[in-house]
Amino acid sequence: MTTQERVALPAEALGRIDATDHLYASRRWLAVEEEVADAPPLYVSSPSGFAAAYHFDERSNPWPIARLDLFLEALERPSADVLPCYLLGGRRPGHSRFLVDDGPDRAEALTSLVGTAAEAAAESGAATVAALYCDDSDTELAAAFQAHGGIRVPSHATYRLELPGESFEDWLGSLPRKQRYKELADVRKLEEAGVSYDVRPLTEADVEWIVPLELGLYHKYGNDYRSSEAANLHRAYLRHLGEDALIVEARRDGDRVGFASVVRHRGTAFVRQAGFDDEATAGAPVYFGAVFHAVIRWAYSAGVRTLDLSISSGQVKQRRGAAELARSAWIVPLTAAARRTLG
C-alpha cells in the first residue's frame, strides 16, 4: 500500500490515538501497519471508542501468532472456515488494543465497538472477527465479546519488565542471588569471547543483513515467515518511526553475529525481532547479551523504564524480573460454517 492509498483515520478517534501510551495503537504504528498490510485496515470508530482491524486470509503470511487458522491449529483446535478474518485491536503478539475511555460507560462502549466491527467485517465478507491477545483481567472486554457470540480460547501470555532504580547494577541487584550470579557470569563469558554490542538507530543498510538472521530464528522454531514482509516491516520502521526504531548490533571479534530490534514509544521500549548466527555465536550467550543486557543498559541511559518483551520463553523472561500478563483470544463467528467449526 502506498502513502497515497492510506485509509483516512476517523476524525473522532484522532485525540484518543494521539494520546495513547501504547505503541501499537499510536498513529505512527498505524502508518507502519498500513504500509505492510496485504489489504487496507478496517478502522472501527464511535464517539466513545476506536480500534484497528487487520485482514487475514489463506494467502496471508503464514504467521501462527496472527493468522487465525494457524493460531487455532497450534492449539490443536478445528480451524476450517474461519478465514477471512479481521484481527480486531491489532495483529502484533501480546497486544489487542481498544481505545475506549475509562468510566461507567466503558462496558457499553466496548460492546458497541465489538458489534460495529463484527457488522463491518461481515459486510466485507469475513467469516470471523478475532482479538488474539486480550487482557484476562478485563471482564468488561470479555462481556463485550460474549454479547456478540464471542468464543474464548487460550492465548500466549506477554511479558513486561519494569526496571528498578537507575542503573544496570540496580537491575542486577533486584534479581535473586542465583540469577544475579548467572547474569554476571554471562557478562564475563561475553567479554572473554570478544562479543560487543552497539545500540543505535536502524538504517536501510541494516535490512539486508538482519532479515536472513531473523528468518533463521523463525525457522529454528518451526515457523515460516516471508522474507519480503520481514524486510518491508523494517523499512516501514524507517519511514514512520525514525530514530525510535533501534537495533542492537552484536559483534564477535569485530564480525556481525546477531541483532535485536527495539522500538521506543514514550517511556516504553518494545523488544521485537531478533536473529543470530548459531555457528558464529557458539559457546557465548550472545542472545542474552543482546535481548537483555544491552537493551537494559541502553534503557537506563535513555530514560526508559518499561520493556515489553512480547510472548514466548516465559521462564527466561521471568527469571530476569519480567511479569507475566495472562492473555485470552476471543473469536466472533460471522458465518454458519465458522460457528460450526468453533462450536
Side-chain angles (χ1 to χ4, degrees):
M1 182 182 297
T2 67
T3 304
Q4 289 74 24
E5 294 171 324
R6 286 200 61 195
V7 179
L9 288 165
E12 61 190 356
L14 291 178
R16 287 186 178 84
I17 294 167
D18 290 336
T20 182
D21 61 357
H22 201 282
L23 171 67
Y24 296 144
S26 67
R27 190 190 294 226
R28 59 185 185 157
W29 190 265
L30 297 178
V32 167
E33 295 287 20
E34 285 195 18
E35 184 165 323
V36 300
D38 295 329
L42 178 64
Y43 290 145
V44 184
S45 183
S46 69
S48 54
F50 170 82
Y54 298 97
H55 182 271
F56 280 82
D57 59 27
E58 67 279 354
R59 298 165 296 181
S60 300
N61 198 33
W63 197 22
I65 56 176
R67 209 176 92 178
L68 181 58
D69 59 330
L70 303 178
F71 183 91
L72 290 170
E73 287 174 15
L75 294 172
E76 298 183 347
R77 290 174 175 259
S79 61
D81 301 313
V82 298
L83 298 180
C85 172
Y86 273 96
L87 288 191
L88 182 62
R91 61 178 184 159
R92 298 299 157 183
H95 301 282
S96 297
R97 305 300 298 181
F98 303 84
L99 300 185
V100 174
D101 296 338
D102 290 330
D105 298 327
R106 182 175 183 270
E108 181 180 349
L110 284 167
T111 301
S112 174
L113 198 65
V114 173
T116 300
E119 182 178 348
E123 289 176 356
S124 298
T128 55
V129 163
L132 299 185
Y133 300 99
C134 296
D135 182 351
D136 261 3
S137 67
D138 192 339
T139 57
E140 291 177 336
L141 182 58
F145 279 103
Q146 288 171 326
H148 296 286
I151 296 166
R152 189 176 198 159
V153 299
S155 188
H156 306 277
T158 193
Y159 297 89
R160 184 173 62 208
L161 175 57
E162 300 290 349
L163 293 174
E166 300 297 328
S167 69
F168 183 79
E169 287 69 30
D170 289 331
W171 169 70
L172 285 173
S174 72
L175 302 177
R177 183 173 61 178
K178 183 177 179 180
Q179 188 64 40
R180 181 165 64 252
Y181 289 162
K182 183 186 184 308
E183 300 305 321
L184 290 169
D186 282 350
V187 169
R188 288 193 297 271
K189 289 176 185 176
L190 290 166
E191 291 174 350
E192 291 166 359
V195 177
S196 61
Y197 298 95
D198 182 25
V199 183
R200 56 175 175 77
L202 179 72
T203 70
E204 173 65 34
D206 291 318
V207 177
E208 183 176 351
W209 70 270
I210 65 177
V211 168
L213 293 177
E214 178 185 349
L215 297 179
L217 188 62
Y218 295 148
H219 294 157
K220 181 178 179 179
Y221 292 100
N223 295 324
D224 291 324
Y225 199 87
R226 292 178 187 156
S227 59
S228 58
E229 185 161 337
N232 289 342
L233 183 55
H234 290 293
R235 292 191 172 105
Y237 289 179
L238 291 171
R239 280 186 278 276
H240 301 291
L241 304 179
E243 292 195 351
D244 283 331
L246 299 140
I247 184 172
V248 180
E249 180 181 343
R251 288 180 176 267
R252 187 171 191 177
D253 296 327
D255 296 326
R256 288 171 173 156
V257 295
F259 84 100
S261 70
V262 178
V263 174
R264 178 177 182 171
H265 184 70
R266 300 184 179 176
T268 300
F270 294 71
V271 183
R272 293 193 38 78
Q273 302 92 333
F276 302 90
D277 182 327
D278 288 343
E279 183 176 346
T281 59
V286 178
Y287 167 86
F288 296 106
V291 173
F292 294 100
H293 298 175
V295 173
I296 289 170
R297 290 182 189 278
W298 164 82
Y300 279 113
S301 69
V304 168
R305 290 297 179 270
T306 302
L307 299 182
D308 182 287
L309 300 176
S310 193
I311 63 172
S312 74
S313 303
Q315 288 187 346
V316 168
K317 295 167 183 176
Q318 287 178 292
R319 289 190 193 113
R320 290 162 176 81
E324 181 181 76
L325 306 176
R327 297 287 183 257
S328 288
W330 285 95
I331 309 167
V332 179
L334 304 175
T335 65
R339 281 189 288 273
R340 285 194 297 270
T341 293
L342 295 167

